[in-house]
Amino acid sequence: MTASYPAAVAPWRPVSSCGRGCLRPGPPTVGRLRRAARIAAFLLLLAHVPLVALTRLAGHRVSDAAYRWYMRGILRSVGVRRTVTIREAHAPAGPVAPLVVSNHTSWLDVSVLPAALPVRLVSRADLRRWPVIGWIAAVGRSLYVDRDRLSTLPDSVARVAAALRRGDAVAVFAEGTTWCGAAGGRYRPAAFQAALDAGAAVRPVALRYHVAGTLTTTASYVGSMSAAESLRRTVAIRGLTVDVTVLPLIPPGAAPDRRSLAALAQRAVDAHHPVALRCSMRHCPVPHAVCTRCARTPRENEPVANEPMAKDDDEQQHVRNPDRSPRHPDRRRSRTAGP
């Protein structure tokens, strides 16, 4: 599998090398009638977005509750079951809310996290101009980041930090783009600066899609796949379940800088959702199943692929700085990937 990348992508933007070749065939499927019923239920829910948007007139408490129930309805409409496991009791409520970080594999993730936790999502800036989707994001009080204009990043970080100080938990998909789930990308450190600025804890959350306990990548939204194609693939799966594992807090002061904090969060998620490879190369053309060169050249403060993870949730994770191996020519390009 050789990934192809659009030439117009900004050099600091994360790019996933996952494509259709990552989608493992074989999960059981439902019949055509049930697929049609699921799509009809999904479209019916989208048609009711204006009614959900009206709940904003009743205040944030009412609209936030309506938003969470709406996201749960989206998951049920496409046949996705949801389980939530909390590995540690929530910390007592305080003036500063935690930054919630998660792996990112599917468009379903934007419904899964708000359905499981009271969070505000960090979304692409262009989403607010989309019909229907933009209204849903507005009801959820999404925070926006313009990924094509690096100069706006400090303002976006400041808005996230301000929301955390007001007591609003903010969720960010730290990989910056979707991966297939069997492989993943490096956690981008920019959003973690907001947690440092606000003095907020970080709450890692691991998302795992499976069918009858077996990991599946069929629900992943990767490569050149369109939203309609991804929806058709998703509604066809029989018994698709997403496990939401809420992991112990990473307290303020656990890491000296945003890159170290991102690495701690990534290791916490990987310990409960191990991936075959987290490729640190921006344009790695090698299939994930056989790619080993990326694992041999980790960045400073970056977790090593397939490194054994501690099993004790309460054991504090420290990121090693392995000896540097000979630099691959593509490493120079990967260093321009942005903050």
Side-chain angles (χ1 to χ4, degrees):
M1 177 184 65
T2 301
S4 60
Y5 304 91
V9 173
W12 56 82
R13 290 266 299 271
V15 176
S16 170
S17 51
C18 292
R20 285 182 173 84
C22 296
L23 306 180
R24 300 175 183 174
T29 58
V30 299
R32 292 184 177 181
L33 184 60
R34 179 166 293 186
R35 298 182 198 186
R38 287 177 174 179
I39 292 177
F42 176 78
L43 295 178
L44 183 62
L45 275 176
L46 291 186
H48 285 79
V49 168
L51 296 179
V52 180
L54 289 176
T55 61
R56 299 186 65 187
L57 300 176
H60 290 326
R61 180 172 298 182
V62 174
S63 64
D64 288 350
Y67 176 69
R68 292 189 66 188
W69 280 105
Y70 185 81
M71 289 304 185
R72 293 171 183 176
I74 289 290
L75 296 176
R76 286 195 293 268
S77 71
V78 295
V80 179
R81 297 187 180 95
R82 174 177 54 89
T83 64
V84 180
T85 303
I86 299 178
R87 300 302 298 262
E88 178 189 70
H90 286 285
V96 180
L99 178 72
V100 178
V101 295
S102 170
N103 57 305
H104 197 17
T105 63
S106 172
W107 61 271
L108 292 169
D109 299 342
V110 301
S111 294
V112 170
L113 275 185
L117 299 169
V119 294
R120 299 174 62 182
L121 295 177
V122 174
S123 304
R124 294 162 41 186
D126 59 321
L127 284 183
R128 56 182 147 191
R129 297 189 296 271
W130 288 21
V132 182
I133 302 299
W135 297 346
I136 296 175
V139 174
R141 297 191 292 143
S142 292
L143 300 166
Y144 300 100
V145 56
D146 190 339
R147 300 189 300 181
D148 292 324
R149 298 174 59 195
L150 197 59
S151 60
T152 65
L153 185 60
D155 289 338
S156 300
V157 170
R159 286 194 295 270
V160 173
L164 296 175
R165 293 189 191 99
R166 290 194 299 268
D168 293 336
V170 177
V172 60
F173 297 108
E175 290 163 302
T177 188
T178 51
W179 291 72
C180 69
R186 180 175 64 90
Y187 279 21
R188 317 300 293 183
F192 293 88
Q193 185 63 48
L196 294 175
D197 293 346
V202 173
R203 173 75 74 181
V205 175
L207 304 181
R208 179 178 182 267
Y209 291 87
H210 64 89
V211 175
T214 301
L215 178 70
T216 181
T217 59
T218 309
S220 303
Y221 184 37
V222 291
S224 58
M225 184 183 301
S226 67
E229 179 186 353
S230 181
L231 176 62
R232 289 195 301 268
R233 295 181 66 96
T234 301
V235 299
I237 304 173
R238 182 187 298 274
L240 179 62
T241 301
V242 55
D243 289 336
V244 184
T245 305
V246 182
L247 301 172
L249 285 169
I250 300 175
D257 55 57
R258 62 185 184 180
R259 295 187 183 276
S260 300
L261 187 56
L264 285 177
Q266 180 172 324
R267 286 173 62 91
V269 173
D270 284 353
H272 297 273
H273 182 146
V275 294
L277 175 69
R278 286 199 176 274
C279 181
S280 61
M281 301 297 181
R282 175 174 167 77
H283 292 152
C284 177
V286 184
H288 298 300
V290 297
C291 183
T292 56
R293 62 176 184 175
C294 301
R296 290 199 302 269
T297 56
R299 295 185 179 202
E300 185 177 358
N301 291 328
E302 182 176 33
V304 180
N306 293 328
E307 183 180 347
M309 298 295 178
K311 299 299 183 182
D312 185 359
D313 290 333
D314 295 329
E315 180 181 351
Q316 185 171 357
Q317 303 292 334
H318 295 282
V319 181
R320 294 183 298 151
N321 184 14
D323 295 333
R324 295 178 182 269
S325 57
R327 181 175 296 182
H328 189 278
D330 288 345
R331 297 283 295 169
R332 293 190 299 271
R333 179 166 46 189
S334 70
R335 287 190 177 276
T336 65

